Amino acid sequence: MKTKILLFLLILPYPAFAFTIALGGDTMLGRNVALANRDASVSEVWGNSQELFLKANFALVNAELAFTNHTKTYEKKAFYFKAPPSHVRFLKALGIDAVNLANNHVLDYGLAGLKDTLQTYKKAGITIAGAGLKHNEAYTVPLIKVQNHTIALISLTDNVVSWQAQDNKPGIAYAPINSSGLAQTIERIKKAKASGADYIIISLHWGGNWVKAPSAEFQHFAHGLVDAGADLIHGHSPHVFQGMELYKGKPIFYSLGDLIDDYEVKPDMRNDLGLIAEVRLNENMTFKKASLYPVNIINTKTRLAEENNLKTALDRAKMLSQALGTQGAIEQNQFVITAK
């Protein structure tokens, strides 16, 4: 874990917040991102967005690619995403502590690619969840020790049911967004709590592309997870960001959009704009505040959004969150939701 020295604590009688979590959405470092940034430094790729992750106590993204030099693809599909294993440095230097691998690209290069990917994260010291060489590995819920707390990371996807890990078959942690998938995930929450977790994050790669708002079915699913004990929902997959909902004091990010990619920009969707979520917790790990910082993907690099792009993203984040019944305020370069 990252070690931080917070000098201002020496002059404050009590910390304004005790624990910070940074979340990014779909993080696609492969294909043209890998080619364009082959010799780039971390600061070139992430720019001023890097600080938000580095100052957090815990940082998580959805890593939507395979880290491999393997060339044989797994199945016929439209797009395949990979980067050489050395490019894990862009996640490591960003301060990423854990990645969701339950998605529709981690198996793009088959078993060999998956093995390379898992080994790459292991060497980098980044915790993985949501994929493995057999069922038990893919569905394992890692318990991550941070300071005096234990974070459980439950990862799943409703994409590519044929990739679901079974017995000794490699694959991903799959769960449909229905009553059956909800029941399965609730059991995982119960087991995580019984294992000593005091904060539970659900990372969900769910839904189709270009969906601007969660359906009632998705809201019901997320609410059911919170009712069962989940503390935070980390959503991704649509390639556009959706609103944040504060439900029973727990933050639900239905989609944070993309953090980095090489995708064609759809002017009507503005998929070049994503969000970084900074979640601040009290000393007992209860929600205090969330700040949503818009980012702009420009030529396979990520920067905090500025000027018109910043205003567009902030106004949209506010509107979409209000539609979910959650009020917040735009404060300079962020959209802020505070505990009631």
Side-chain angles (χ1 to χ4, degrees), residues 145-213:
K145 299 286 186 180
V146 188
Q147 296 181 347
N148 296 321
H149 300 285
T150 301
I151 297 174
L153 176 58
I154 299 174
S155 294
L156 61 90
T157 182
D158 69 335
N159 286 300
V160 199
V161 62
S162 63
W163 286 14
Q164 182 178 11
Q166 296 178 358
D167 297 328
N168 292 321
K169 175 192 172 187
I172 55 178
Y174 170 85
I177 307 303
N178 57 26
S179 58
S180 173
L182 181 59
Q184 294 172 31
T185 311
I186 287 173
E187 285 304 309
R188 299 176 75 192
I189 292 172
K190 291 178 179 178
K191 290 179 180 178
K193 282 186 171 295
S195 297
D198 62 354
Y199 197 84
I200 297 177
I201 297 175
I202 313 290
S203 192
L204 285 163
H205 197 70
W206 59 346
N209 296 339
W210 320 120
V211 179
K212 294 183 178 180

Side-chain angles (χ1 to χ4, degrees), residues 22 46-56 94 278 304:
W46 299 118
N48 55 3
S49 69
Q50 185 179 10
E51 181 182 356
L52 290 172
F53 290 99
L54 288 176
K55 71 179 182 179
L94 190 60
E278 181 183 68
L304 293 177

Side-chain angles (χ1 to χ4, degrees), residues 37-106:
N37 296 307
R38 182 179 57 187
D39 300 315
S41 67
V42 173
S43 60
E44 286 179 272
V45 173
W46 299 118
N48 55 3
S49 69
Q50 185 179 10
E51 181 182 356
L52 290 172
F53 290 99
L54 288 176
K55 71 179 182 179
N57 298 103
F58 181 75
L60 167 68
V61 297
N62 172 60
E64 196 160 21
L65 77 159
F67 280 118
T68 184
N69 291 314
H70 192 65
T71 58
K72 186 177 180 180
T73 54
Y74 182 43
E75 292 179 344
K76 186 176 182 180
K77 56 188 299 193
F79 305 109
Y80 306 93
F81 299 147
K82 72 169 182 174
S86 61
H87 281 213
V88 76
R89 72 181 187 273
F90 292 117
L91 294 179
K92 185 68 176 175
L94 190 60
I96 300 302
D97 296 299
V99 291
N100 170 75
L101 297 185
N103 59 55
N104 56 313
H105 285 287
V106 72

